[in-house]
Amino acid sequence: MKRITFIGLGVMGGGIAGTLLQAGYDLTVWSRNPDHNKPFVKRGAKAASTIAAAVKDAEVVWYCLSDDAAIEDVVFGHEGVLSSVTRGQIVLDSSTVHPETSRRQAAAYVEKGVEFLDIPVFGSRSEAASGALWVLAGGKRDVFDRVRPLLDAISESVHFMGGPGKGSAMKLVGNLIVAAQLEALGEAMVLSAKAGLDPQDVLGVLEVTDFRSPILSGVGAALVKRDFTPNFALKHLLKDANLIDRFAQDLNSPIPAGVAIRETIKAAVNQGWGEENASAMIKALELQGSTQIGHT
């Protein structure tokens, strides 16, 4: 499989598309914002003016969209992906959406003789741009095996989770842990600041203990520098927190900490920090604690 169409060229989609281009695939791109196509055209990709034109000759149609509403528009909407694909093509969705949205897509594509996998990813801007994402896959195992070389090209590891929607389910499970780590880091750093501990000394401990993690060390260092440059925007973390809440409600699964964390994220977005990095949720905890960690 060499002919790929990629739809959705935001931070994550653009990183994935760039990695595929670097790996030598014949890439056609389409974005709701045509300006997003230009850097890829300069690197050798073809830009399509419509979704129908983009998917016409593709072996694989791959998209990474912002939310469930974007899926409704770009996939199920008038002249969207669903109405444009034809029998024998494979569709891959790297969006973070509710598992039911993934299952609904799978069922709709089956009716057209088109194969579908939900393949959300863990990672942010740097991993997307360097081909070091962690891929989760839901759908048919034989289709997964067929597209495995594509997934390997963008990832550090690939994980088949089961049938349709299982990749999306694992993505929400993982993002609950991500949000919990950010909340824990924020609470701990605010507490340490109010206790008079030097934040660099605190990070020195966090980086060597048995509870260390890349999130604690990476976000902690950026927090001390007051660097909230978006690798994954806070507004998207709120979207994911809302999805996690809905998913847990659907399954009657307890997430008491998740409910509290969503309130922290919501408070930070309401302060106007939604376009900043997801770690900006910690600023809501600083506000509650009347303190600030680190310095500019």
Side-chain angles (χ1 to χ4, degrees):
M1 297 179 186
K2 295 297 290 183
R3 298 190 309 278
I4 303 170
T5 283
F6 205 97
I7 294 171
L9 301 172
V11 170
M12 297 302 293
I16 295 170
T19 299
L20 293 170
L21 199 56
Q22 181 69 28
Y25 289 97
D26 181 357
L27 194 69
T28 298
V29 295
W30 183 89
S31 173
R32 288 185 288 184
N33 182 347
D35 287 341
H36 289 174
N37 295 331
K38 294 177 182 177
F40 300 94
V41 172
K42 289 181 179 178
R43 295 174 58 185
K46 296 181 287 291
S49 58
T50 65
I51 291 175
V55 307
K56 181 179 179 183
D57 296 317
E59 295 172 278
V60 174
V61 179
W62 195 337
Y63 44 83
C64 185
L65 303 170
S66 56
D67 51 27
D68 294 68
I71 295 290
E72 290 296 327
D73 180 24
V74 175
V75 176
F76 292 103
H78 178 61
E79 297 184 347
V81 177
L82 184 61
S83 65
S84 302
V85 290
T86 57
R87 180 175 297 275
Q89 291 180 306
I90 296 174
V91 174
L92 307 176
D93 180 14
S94 287
S95 314
T96 299
V97 295
H98 193 285
E100 181 55 36
T101 299
S102 297
R103 290 190 291 269
R104 182 177 165 222
Q105 289 183 85
Y109 284 121
V110 163
E111 291 186 1
K112 297 201 67 172
V114 173
E115 302 289 0
F116 173 81
L117 296 176
D118 45 283
I119 53 162
V121 298
F122 289 131
S124 58
R125 182 190 300 269
S126 60
E127 290 86 5
S130 62
L133 294 165
W134 297 271
V135 178
L136 316 165
K140 295 179 181 177
R141 182 70 196 226
D142 64 310
V143 178
F144 168 77
D145 290 338
R146 287 166 61 192
V147 302
R148 181 64 187 266
L150 295 179
L151 306 185
D152 287 339
I154 69 161
S155 67
E156 180 175 307
S157 67
V158 179
H159 307 269
F160 181 75
M161 304 306 300
K166 298 297 187 184
S168 292
M170 184 63 224
K171 172 64 172 175
L172 297 186
V173 168
N175 277 11
L176 176 59
I177 294 173
V178 170
Q181 288 196 41
L182 290 174
E183 176 79 17
L185 176 66
E187 291 182 15
M189 294 300 285
V190 168
L191 179 60
S192 69
K194 294 183 75 70
L197 295 173
D198 185 300
Q200 293 291 0
D201 292 340
V202 174
L203 291 181
V205 174
L206 298 184
E207 289 171 358
V208 299
T209 51
D210 60 354
F211 51 85
R212 64 189 180 274
S213 83
I215 289 178
L216 296 183
S217 58
V219 172
L223 177 65
V224 171
K225 296 176 183 176
R226 310 305 294 172
D227 181 2
F228 299 100
T229 303
N231 291 306
F232 176 64
L234 181 63
K235 64 181 182 181
H236 296 315
L237 184 62
L238 178 58
K239 180 266 291 185
D240 290 352
N242 288 333
L243 280 175
I244 291 164
D245 183 74
R246 177 185 159 200
F247 186 41
Q249 293 297 327
D250 291 344
L251 299 175
N252 197 31
S253 185
I255 53 165
V259 171
I261 292 165
R262 184 169 68 131
E263 292 304 308
T264 301
I265 300 168
K266 193 187 303 179
V269 169
N270 286 339
Q271 288 291 328
W273 301 320
E275 298 293 338
E276 297 183 23
N277 197 53
S279 55
M281 66 178 278
I282 295 171
K283 294 203 282 187
L285 299 172
E286 293 177 324
L287 194 62
Q288 292 180 53
S290 300
T291 192
Q292 179 177 294
I293 301 150
H295 54 81
T296 55

